[in-house]
Amino acid sequence: MTPMTPPKHPRCRRRDERRDERGSVSVWFALAALSLVVCLGIAVDLGGHVHAQQRASALAAQAARTAGEEVAAAQAIRGQTPTVDVTAAKRAASAYLAQAGVTGTVNVRSGNVLEVTVTDRYTPMFLTSIGVGTLTVTGQSTARLVRAVQGTER
């Protein structure tokens, strides 16, 4: 013989029926998982975008240094204030940027200040699924050619 459970009071039965939450954990878990995937995608793509910007800035700095090596020889040999050979500097920086696979501009100011701006693109990995397309990143750097004698700028 099995023991019988006493019947519930009618008011208790109605309260239990109103609080039926079967399946609510599944809905909560599905929404939480979706939110986590979206946050992860944003983090990965944001990190990739920042990395692409840092790369563009680093390439601009290296191109400016490369261009800065193109000194107008005649003035440097005479011991005068060095200036940049503008044509050779632009050619050297452009070649460096082309080898790196990016585009950019090279400007020379005052005969000894080189400005390089790099433009590149970053394609998001996750955010493309919600319509975010390729993002343009830029980096900028300046190099100044100086004459130093025994560590002192002259």
Side-chain angles (χ1 to χ4, degrees):
M1 189 173 229
T2 60
M4 294 185 65
T5 57
K8 289 188 175 183
H9 190 274
R11 206 178 293 157
C12 293
R13 238 182 292 149
R14 272 185 262 136
R15 196 176 324 142
D16 289 343
E17 290 170 2
R18 282 184 299 204
R19 292 186 184 177
D20 185 15
E21 296 180 0
R22 285 180 281 171
S24 64
V25 172
S26 299
V27 172
W28 179 87
F29 183 76
L31 290 175
L34 179 64
S35 299
L36 186 62
V37 168
V38 168
C39 288
L40 179 67
I42 289 171
V44 167
D45 284 339
L46 181 61
H49 187 252
V50 168
H51 180 263
Q53 285 180 323
Q54 289 174 339
R55 179 178 181 267
S57 294
L59 289 172
Q62 291 299 333
R65 287 185 193 108
T66 300
E69 293 175 4
E70 302 299 327
V71 178
Q75 289 177 315
I77 291 171
R78 288 191 296 257
Q80 297 172 339
T81 301
T83 59
V84 175
D85 180 348
V86 176
T87 306
K90 286 185 176 185
R91 190 179 324 117
S94 296
Y96 183 87
L97 295 176
Q99 185 179 4
V102 296
T103 60
T105 59
V106 182
N107 295 313
V108 180
R109 285 188 295 122
S110 305
N112 68 342
V113 178
L114 299 141
E115 294 176 338
V116 178
T117 303
V118 172
T119 304
D120 199 7
R121 298 194 179 282
Y122 171 70
T123 304
M125 296 171 60
F126 291 96
L127 295 180
T128 53
S129 62
I130 61 169
V132 176
T134 302
L135 303 171
T136 301
V137 294
T138 58
Q140 198 264 337
S141 185
T142 303
R144 187 170 62 98
L145 185 63
V146 296
R147 177 176 177 247
V149 177
Q150 296 179 348
T152 305
E153 185 178 333
R154 306 246 180 194

